[in-house]
Amino acid sequence: MSGKNVTEVVQANASGVVRAAKVLSEGGLVAVPTETVYGLAARADSDAAVARIYEAKGRPSFNPLIVHVRDAGHAQDYVEWSEAANAAAERFWPGPLTMVLPRRPGAPMADAVTAGLPTLAVRVPAHPVMQKLLEAVDFPIAAPSANVSGFISPTTVAHVMVSLDGRIDMVLDGGPTSAGLESSIFALEADGAWEELRPGPLDRAALDAEVAEPRRSRSNPAVRAPGQLASHYAPGKPVRLDASPRVAGEVAQDEFFIGFGSVGGDCTLSASGDLKEAAARLYDCLHQGAASDKPRIAVAPVPMEGVGRAINDRLRRAATPPD
Ligand code: TXA
Ligand code: MG
């Protein structure tokens, strides 16, 4: 399938899922909707298929992938299971929780998926299309976000096509994604505590309250997500944060303004100040800013509460220029 330069957009109905399953089983690449962002899927047990993900995204080989499985039972085929993992899975799967757990020796998994780490990131997605796809195949699915490495993540098919048209075999169109931000990533440490590697739709406070002891230290995690680079989600032009147009003269005419709450703009994350809505709209506003003829982007302040932590994490990286 390599060398093919037409990307087919297929409705995510029953026959679309069957076709996507066939492309994946033959080692192809399919962009698929999840409840967080669109993922770029390949069969995780094939070295050649996984290599195509890295090639299509231009992703550095040190950055491991998340593996998606049907349910917690299947996760146990690939990672060392424990009471802590089970408690989190029972409460938050399917859903936007990725767990980094010790890799199970001998489990059939392409080496490039883990980029040489002794751990594996696993997730059971909640999106019905992704669930049907996982039921239709007999292998786990590796899927990073379906964008060129370092660029804005995709929450619609149009966003996927901006980055990957002609570089992948198929896109399954399931409409806009609901959560809008990548899954929360938590690593289970040797002492049984959860370390937050990437904030996301699942609030750290919810995990602490429901399944885990609060972390002793968050400042110096033993485990890191190698892909959490300072510059990421970048729209290709300067981004200025915490901008307020109510301060006279502060928002320049050449800025594409992304508003929040009472602070309006060229695009608004949430006019009512709803953080979940803001998370769902963030990448679309950044895509609009990237496509606009204005040379710079400015973003209103977003509160650091709940999913606002994850929104601010993404904005900070979008505002950091690439090396
Ligand atoms: O919501 C999501 O998680 C989406 C959808 C498609 O599932 N996927 C996604 O994948 O965001 P990606 O590749 O854009 O981000 C995966 C992150 C990277 O920062 C990577 O470094 C980290 O997960 N990661 C993967 N395996 C890891 C491991 N074994 N240890 C630590 N971090 C890991
Ligand atoms: Mg990504």
Side-chain angles (χ1 to χ4, degrees):
M1 232 156 276
S2 62
K4 190 169 166 181
N5 56 14
V6 175
T7 297
E8 206 184 346
V9 178
V10 173
Q11 284 305 310
N13 52 24
S15 74
V17 168
V18 170
R19 286 177 62 194
K22 183 163 186 293
V23 172
L24 291 176
S25 64
E26 290 167 355
L29 297 184
V30 182
V32 293
T34 84
E35 74 276 29
T36 58
V37 299
Y38 273 75
L40 179 53
R43 58 184 303 164
D45 61 348
S46 159
D47 289 319
V50 169
R52 289 196 61 205
I53 290 182
Y54 283 88
E55 189 190 335
K57 279 183 65 91
R59 185 178 178 102
S61 61
F62 60 78
N63 190 2
L65 306 175
I66 295 173
V67 168
H68 301 70
V69 291
R70 212 178 299 169
D71 53 36
H74 282 85
Q76 291 166 55
D77 293 342
Y78 304 100
V79 289
E80 301 279 9
W81 207 237
S82 55
E83 260 179 50
N86 204 56
E90 282 198 344
R91 174 65 185 83
F92 295 110
W93 276 357
L97 165 67
T98 293
M99 292 197 262
V100 171
L101 298 169
R103 186 179 173 178
R104 190 165 163 173
M109 186 69 60
D111 282 336
V113 167
T114 55
L117 293 173
T119 52
L120 180 72
V122 279
R123 157 163 132 80
V124 175
H127 197 289
V129 170
M130 190 61 170
Q131 290 190 337
K132 288 190 186 103
L133 189 58
L134 283 163
E135 275 160 29
V137 298
D138 58 1
F139 43 78
I141 294 179
S145 51
N147 52 277
V148 161
S149 190
F151 190 58
I152 311 163
S153 301
T155 55
T156 67
V157 167
H159 298 164
V160 173
M161 294 300 264
V162 168
S163 271
L164 297 174
D165 190 9
R167 301 170 77 98
I168 63 178
D169 301 297
M170 183 185 284
V171 184
L172 263 187
D173 187 352
T177 65
S178 56
L181 291 181
E182 294 86 346
S183 61
S184 307
I185 305 181
F186 288 92
L188 188 59
E189 299 219 319
D191 65 358
W194 290 104
E195 187 73 59
E196 183 184 53
L197 302 188
R198 179 174 72 184
L202 167 64
D203 198 350
R204 149 110 255 173
L207 188 85
D208 284 345
E210 302 206 31
V211 301
E213 292 295 308
R215 193 75 196 101
R216 44 179 167 48
S217 148
R218 291 180 201 177
S219 55
N220 188 23
V223 194
R224 292 189 184 278
Q228 294 304 97
L229 305 176
S231 175
H232 204 145
Y233 319 104
K237 50 181 83 169
V239 178
R240 189 167 68 88
L241 303 183
D242 296 324
S244 168
R246 278 179 292 183
V247 179
E250 209 193 317
V251 172
Q253 285 304 310
D254 65 350
E255 282 182 332
F256 181 91
F257 194 82
I258 298 177
F260 177 79
S262 57
V263 184
D266 300 302
C267 186
T268 300
L269 294 174
S270 169
S272 65
D274 180 284
L275 286 167
K276 280 196 170 152
E277 184 186 15
R281 294 197 35 75
L282 174 67
Y283 290 137
D284 192 53
C285 282
L286 285 172
H287 272 276
Q288 286 184 38
S292 101
D293 31 4
K294 297 197 174 161
R296 301 189 292 139
I297 296 172
V299 191
V302 176
M304 278 292 270
E305 299 149 20
V307 74
R309 287 178 57 240
I311 296 171
N312 279 294
D313 168 76
R314 306 305 193 276
L315 283 172
R316 209 170 50 245
R317 294 175 206 278
T320 302
D323 289 340

